Amino acid sequence: MTTPPSFPHAAPPPAARRSGAGRILAGTASWTDRSLLESGWYPADVSTPAERLAYYASQFPIVEVDATYYHPPAQRTVEAWRDRTPPDFTFNIKAFSLLTDHPTPPRSLYADLRDRVGTGKRNLYLRDVGPEITEEVWQRFLSALAPLQEAGKLGAVLFQFPPWFAIGAAQRRYILDCVRRCRPMRVCVEFRNRTWMEPERNREETLEFLASHEIPYVCVDMPQGHPSSVPPVLAVTAGDLAVVRLHGHSDRWVGGTKEERFAYLYSEEELARWAENVRLLSAEAAVTHVIFNNYWGDGSQRNAARLAELTGRDGSGGGTA
């Protein structure tokens, strides 16, 4: 069980500071993962993709789409997400793996681009595809998200950087390039390399860098003691948006399957502690997104609903929180 540190470690830029309680939107990182479908969380008569998303949106005001990390979405898919949810529903979209320099199987690329780069390698990185294809991937990925942005349903594009993305000038320049490319879409940043948040100098430097550009830092709760572990630092680096992602504390974080790495159910004590932290964040940000990324049947849905109760927000009703 983790004990998050006291708030705050960083405040929003002076021009963006606010006081009072901002909105808190609690939800989960999926509405279609296998363990959820098998858990019985969905009513028996809710069986199609359209029905599941509509039902999910009747229970929570926000969802994070992680499938876009593995395969860039088609615009018609994004249009369906838009059309199947209430007007005030929010989607956070995880950036395609190639754009965060994660290993990307060639089969995950758009078919015509796949033919141009070839399939001789098991995984591709930005350095393998060249600037022309890189530009094309950026353009297509962001264009596909336009229906959500235009409908006011796109909360943020999540850039989760890999464990080898260590603190440095080149990496900061790349973050700024991602922000520039995505405008006017909002970007939030999650690190999986602890150098960014090592006390005290690096942590202060990182948070000051993000705050100076009003880029929301993604506060994380995750297993500690691993090379990819980042401590649960609470920080608001942009006045309009704070983001929290709760990954659980599975003992199979390293070496387990995806399901095993995120299999965790937060206890009432842990949720109470995080509810207090989220309330503190919401005092400095207009909106705070809380995403449960712990896969354990319907555990993330149960945890998200309970956190909404503990923070005094109504987590149901398609965005009324």
Side-chain angles (χ1 to χ4, degrees):
M1 184 179 298
T2 185
T3 303
S6 59
F7 176 87
H9 284 289
R17 285 182 184 160
R18 61 186 304 282
S19 60
R23 298 175 67 220
I24 297 173
L25 306 183
T28 72
S30 176
W31 71 91
T32 60
D33 65 276
R34 184 177 61 184
S35 66
L36 174 62
L37 299 183
E38 295 173 349
S39 71
W41 185 75
Y42 286 108
D45 60 347
V46 175
S47 58
T48 68
E51 291 169 343
R52 287 174 185 140
L53 179 54
Y55 179 79
Y56 176 97
S58 74
Q59 305 299 305
F60 297 102
I62 187 171
V63 75
E64 179 184 284
V65 184
D66 281 358
T68 50
Y69 169 84
Y70 300 99
H71 297 277
Q75 185 166 318
R76 63 181 179 275
T77 300
V78 176
E79 290 170 347
W81 296 340
R82 176 198 63 195
D83 296 341
R84 293 169 180 173
T85 50
D88 54 355
F89 190 78
T90 298
F91 289 88
N92 284 355
I93 303 293
K94 193 171 184 180
F96 180 42
S97 60
L98 189 71
L99 303 180
T100 50
D101 211 28
H102 280 87
T104 301
R107 66 180 179 276
S108 296
L109 283 178
Y110 303 96
D112 60 317
L113 300 185
R114 186 189 317 146
D115 294 338
R116 287 163 59 183
V117 300
T119 57
K121 293 187 175 183
R122 179 179 179 183
N123 288 308
L124 298 171
Y125 297 84
L126 284 174
R127 64 179 178 269
D128 299 317
V129 302
E132 184 177 337
I133 288 180
T134 296
E135 292 295 324
E136 190 68 24
V137 171
W138 269 109
Q139 190 276 326
R140 295 188 193 186
F141 179 77
L142 295 176
S143 292
L145 302 185
L148 291 181
Q149 175 70 13
E150 293 164 0
K153 292 188 174 187
L154 181 60
V157 183
L158 166 67
F159 281 79
Q160 179 196 299
F161 292 104
W164 48 88
F165 192 83
I167 190 170
Q171 288 76 9
R172 285 191 290 271
R173 287 194 297 271
Y174 187 71
I175 291 172
L176 293 179
D177 185 53
C178 293
V179 172
R180 176 187 63 80
R181 288 175 178 275
C182 289
R183 268 190 208 108
M185 299 176 188
R186 206 68 174 97
V187 163
C188 60
V189 172
E190 178 178 344
F191 299 111
R192 288 290 175 88
N193 184 294
R194 61 181 178 228
T195 59
W196 292 90
M197 300 306 290
E198 285 179 338
E200 288 292 333
R201 181 178 176 182
N202 282 6
R203 180 179 297 178
E204 293 175 0
E205 178 183 306
T206 296
L207 296 177
E208 287 174 3
F209 160 71
L210 294 173
S212 68
H213 296 282
E214 299 189 46
I215 304 169
Y217 170 70
V218 177
C219 310
V220 295
D221 185 45
M222 63 190 304
Q224 298 297 298
H226 306 290
S228 62
S229 298
V230 173
V233 174
L234 300 174
V236 175
T237 54
D240 64 322
L241 178 64
V243 182
V244 178
R245 298 184 81 224
L246 302 169
H247 301 297
H249 292 272
S250 169
D251 57 8
R252 297 297 304 278
W253 182 257
V254 174
T257 65
K258 179 183 176 182
E259 289 76 14
E260 291 170 337
R261 291 180 62 212
F262 295 96
Y264 190 78
L265 184 68
Y266 280 89
S267 69
E268 183 71 11
E269 181 182 355
E270 289 172 297
L271 291 173
R273 193 175 292 125
W274 272 104
E276 177 59 26
N277 289 326
V278 168
R279 280 193 292 266
L280 291 169
L281 290 172
S282 72
E284 296 290 349
V287 182
T288 300
H289 294 175
V290 185
I291 301 297
F292 281 85
N293 190 37
N294 54 314
Y295 297 94
W296 192 77
D298 62 352
S300 56
Q301 280 70 27
R302 290 159 53 193
N303 283 165
R306 181 58 178 148
L307 185 112
E309 294 175 352
L310 291 170
T311 55
R313 304 318 202 254
D314 177 9
S316 66
T320 60

